[in-house]
Structures are given as C-alpha cells and as structure tokens.
Amino acid sequence: MAIYQVPVADPVASATISPHFERWAIGAGHAGWTIGWRDGADPWQPDRRVVETYCYAMLPEDFLDNPLEQLYWRTDLVQMTRAFMLEARRMGIRLAVPQGM
C-alpha cells in the first residue's frame, strides 16, 4: 500500500483534486493498482488539510518468498510515485514537506 498526501486549502477537497490525476490513476489501474481518494488532516497539525490518495494491490500468495515478484512491485511503486509527482508538478501542486516538520 502507498499513500500520497497533497496539501490543500478550502474549498479544495478530494473531489476537486482527483479529476486532475485521472490520467495517472488510469495508468496505475492498468498496472494492477486500486486507487482511492479521501480528505484528511495532518494528525500532528490538525489545521493542515490534505487530500490522501491511497493505492493498493493484491499480491501473490508467495510474495514474501519470491524475490523477482518483490523486485517487480518495488520497481512499479517507484514508477507510480514518479508519475504522481510529475502529474502534480504539471498542475503546479507543490508536494514539498512544509516548514517546521
């Protein structure tokens, strides 16, 4: 499972952000990932709002004993994260860690 957080301010919410990542979500879906969106808050800074994108995939039963399968999913996760970051940059969304963290 992977969770990406996008910092937002009112009135932006998951319903506003998710359509902009539609192309990314389709690609991740073709690779076997299931994608979902939810509104959230930083547990250490409740006034800081985020939109979380959660991604998960069903892994084979022998995943922990199969190094090739682990390598595939590790590489796939890196590629999916890179694509998410590029899509955010294309939209002008800054994903840097906020000051003071």
Side-chain angles (χ1 to χ4, degrees):
M1 175 178 239
I3 297 178
Y4 304 107
Q5 289 186 337
V6 176
V8 295
D10 284 331
V12 177
S14 60
T16 309
I17 294 284
S18 62
H20 296 286
F21 283 91
E22 188 68 25
R23 181 174 59 174
W24 169 82
I26 290 170
H30 287 300
W33 292 92
T34 300
I35 307 295
W37 298 86
R38 64 180 172 225
D39 297 311
D42 185 324
W44 294 274
Q45 296 178 350
D47 57 327
R48 181 176 173 259
R49 293 189 43 245
V50 296
V51 170
E52 295 181 337
T53 307
Y54 55 93
C55 316
Y56 59 92
M58 295 301 294
L59 300 174
E61 225 176 272
D62 68 340
F63 177 75
L64 294 177
D65 296 324
N66 187 336
L68 290 178
E69 195 72 31
Q70 292 172 19
L71 180 61
Y72 167 79
W73 285 102
R74 187 177 317 146
T75 303
D76 197 58
L77 182 59
V78 169
Q79 290 174 346
M80 184 174 67
T81 300
R82 180 180 183 276
F84 186 88
M85 293 171 72
L86 289 173
E87 195 70 12
R89 181 192 303 170
R90 186 179 70 78
M91 290 183 295
I93 297 173
R94 187 166 180 249
L95 298 177
V97 176
Q99 295 295 329
M101 291 198 74

